[in-house]
Amino acid sequence: MSRDIYQDKNLHRYDDMIDLEHPISRTHPRMSVQDRAAQFAPFAALTGHAAAIHETARLTEERPELEPDYLELLNWQIQQIQKNMSKHPRVEITYFMPDERKEGGRMITACGRVAEIDSNKGVLYLSEEGDFLLKDIVEIRGELFDEPWE
């Protein structure tokens, strides 16, 4: 068979199908243009790059520096709580939580009854809330300090 005849047969091999409608599957929905295009998207060579950019952009607060007079007030409040431990006073504390991944942190408020203060470890335990380092506490409010709150 000569090469020209072979090419002619191949050239018209699909003539009977060329004008048919596109087949529609009964079991699979048609793929969207975006999904079809995604098949040809470039490989993400920088895996984790977007996460690193997001982490860098995440904002943190600086640890507040408390004035000596204010530190004295906090120490007095802690002493008042210790004197009234039998009542398990309700308090609202605001504390600085250092960030685990970058410099800085954030301010958080927790409420509850004081279960214990361990001066040796420098920890205040709130029932149902957990333990807090005394050095991270920046504000204490509560019923002992004529500051009722709900």
Side-chain angles (χ1 to χ4, degrees), residues 3 6 14-15 26 42 48 65 67 71 76 79-80 83 87 102 108 110 118 128 130 135 138-139 145 148-149:
R3 187 168 173 82
Y6 181 74
Y14 300 107
D15 284 350
R26 294 178 187 172
E65 289 193 33
E67 297 291 325
L71 286 172
W76 177 82
Q79 290 171 5
Q80 295 307 307
K83 288 179 185 175
K87 298 177 187 175
K102 62 195 288 187
I108 299 176
D118 187 334
E128 302 168 11
K135 69 179 183 72
V138 296
E139 182 179 23
F145 314 114
W149 52 274

Side-chain angles (χ1 to χ4, degrees), residues 57-140:
R58 188 172 56 84
L59 299 177
T60 58
E61 299 174 35
E62 288 184 30
R63 179 185 288 273
E65 289 193 33
L66 304 177
E67 297 291 325
D69 291 345
Y70 193 76
L71 286 172
E72 281 184 40
L73 172 65
L74 284 176
N75 286 331
W76 177 82
Q77 288 177 315
I78 290 168
Q79 290 171 5
Q80 295 307 307
I81 294 169
Q82 285 175 318
K83 288 179 185 175
N84 292 282
M85 279 304 297
S86 62
K87 298 177 187 175
H88 297 285
R90 287 185 61 79
V91 295
E92 174 184 277
I93 62 167
T94 302
Y95 64 99
F96 180 78
M97 176 181 269
D99 195 283
E100 295 176 352
R101 291 180 259 172
K102 62 195 288 187
E103 193 171 323
R106 61 189 174 123
M107 303 298 285
I108 299 176
T109 300
C111 305
R113 293 202 173 273
V114 179
E116 180 184 353
I117 294 179
D118 187 334
S119 300
N120 294 329
K121 292 182 181 177
V123 177
L124 179 139
Y125 298 92
L126 282 185
S127 59
E128 302 168 11
E129 289 291 328
D131 55 319
F132 305 92
L133 294 175
L134 294 174
K135 69 179 183 72
D136 291 336
I137 296 174
V138 296
E139 182 179 23
I140 303 174

Side-chain angles (χ1 to χ4, degrees), residues 36-54:
R36 288 182 61 81
Q39 295 179 77
F40 304 101
F43 172 70
L46 298 175
T47 304
H49 182 68
I53 289 173
H54 177 72

